[in-house]
Amino acid sequence: MTGDGAARGPVVWAMAVREAVQGPPIAELIVEVGANLHADLFEAAVDSGFTVAAGEPPATTGVIEVGGGRVERLLLVGGRQGWEPGSRVEVSPRWLAAAEGRGEAVVVVVPPPDWPLGPVAEDLGTRVDAFTRWVEEQRVAGRVLHGAVSVRGWA
């Protein structure tokens, strides 16, 4: 969140590209915030049209702003709330192509983790697999929101 958001907890972002059953691949932006920010992000996402992550993501009023090869911010609640990554989030050419191919990206809002991501020395693939399993568990439990948002900037 812009302003004092950084003082209330981290905002962590991850980019993914999923193959679709039909049509071009799907660009995803996974957003995880600290416990102090989660209620604010959750409320803003719901106010923007996000729903519990089941089935197809609904169209929302959210916007991802991209510039300089990175995600600059996620705008929610008609642009009245801006959420910015705490560190540089690079946008891959594949992610951009998927977003352009569909004219949108899917934002997935996950709850703050209640477990460590694992030691830094742990194999990255092992940590990614653990995170993927955890997100799926949270989705099944109804704790994950999703929504389709427009993407601005493309550069």
Side-chain angles (χ1 to χ4, degrees), residues 2-123:
T2 57
D4 69 344
R8 297 193 299 159
V11 179
V12 180
W13 307 59
M15 310 293 278
V17 177
R18 272 190 306 118
E19 294 304 318
V21 175
Q22 288 186 297
I26 300 166
E28 286 186 334
L29 175 64
I30 302 165
V31 182
E32 172 194 306
V33 299
N36 292 337
L37 286 175
H38 183 67
D40 291 343
L41 177 58
F42 195 89
E43 181 179 339
V46 169
D47 288 349
S48 298
F50 286 64
T51 62
V52 173
E56 291 298 314
T60 72
T61 61
V63 175
I64 298 171
E65 290 185 338
V66 176
R70 65 184 178 89
V71 171
E72 293 179 338
R73 72 190 53 82
L74 170 64
L75 297 175
L76 297 173
V77 193
R80 294 188 303 275
Q81 282 199 14
W83 295 79
E84 298 177 357
S87 60
R88 188 173 175 92
V89 178
E90 301 289 331
V91 179
S92 73
R94 186 167 182 246
W95 189 92
L96 273 178
E100 287 177 328
R102 290 201 171 258
E104 64 187 16
V106 173
V107 173
V108 179
V109 177
V110 299
D114 56 1
W115 54 278
L117 292 177
V120 174
E122 189 174 69
D123 175 69

Side-chain angles (χ1 to χ4, degrees), residues 127-151:
R127 290 189 305 162
V128 168
D129 289 345
F131 178 75
T132 301
R133 281 191 308 275
W134 177 80
V135 169
E136 181 59 16
E137 290 167 5
Q138 298 302 304
R139 187 195 65 75
V140 168
R143 297 184 191 113
V144 175
L145 298 178
H146 69 171
V149 304
S150 62
V151 180

